[in-house]
Amino acid sequence: MKIIETDRLYLRELRMEDQAELSKVLSDAESMQYYPHPFNHEEVENWIKWNMENYRRYGHGLWAVILKDGDLFIGDCGITMQNIENRVLPEIGFHMIKEFWNKGYATEAAWACTEYALHDLGYSKLFSYTTLENIPSQKVAEKIGMKPYKIFEKNGKQQIVQSISADEA
């Protein structure tokens, strides 16, 4: 079932059958350079289970991003509830398989998820956070209209939080 559709993409719930394709991004060292480590098989499986629980609990999570041309799995994108400095906030996240980088897919999926979060789910504000070193993710956040919100430390690393409100989207 399609949750969100754009000109080139559609987003649907992740399924266990997506594990091999999702591993192409979550288990890749370059793709996961801003995480503590690339995910192993069990961690990818747990990632899917976590999102399935998010669908049940919140009605959203990270969804599979499918390229309409060829019906190809290219990554994940969506809204998860994250603890940012002791506040549980809606956060947009995305991970794209390397061969699909720099084609605008992350921005297209993130913009659609932002619209969905602010207008369909009714969140008044949406956040993005990452390490200060993760410039590519910060650029995607900027392209969808997010502005710097604050910098904080988590696990010994500086994190930047960006945000957009419903009236800005």
Side-chain angles (χ1 to χ4, degrees), residues 13 49-60:
E13 289 186 356
K49 288 178 182 175
W50 172 65
N51 280 288
M52 290 174 159
E53 177 57 30
N54 285 334
Y55 305 150
R56 284 187 287 279
R57 187 170 182 189
Y58 302 110
H60 57 77

Side-chain angles (χ1 to χ4, degrees), residues 6-8 20 23 38-39 80 92 113 130 135 143 148-149:
T6 69
D7 289 342
R8 301 182 296 168
S23 291
F39 289 10
T80 59
I92 188 153
C113 288
T130 187
I135 302 300
K143 286 178 188 175
Y149 179 74

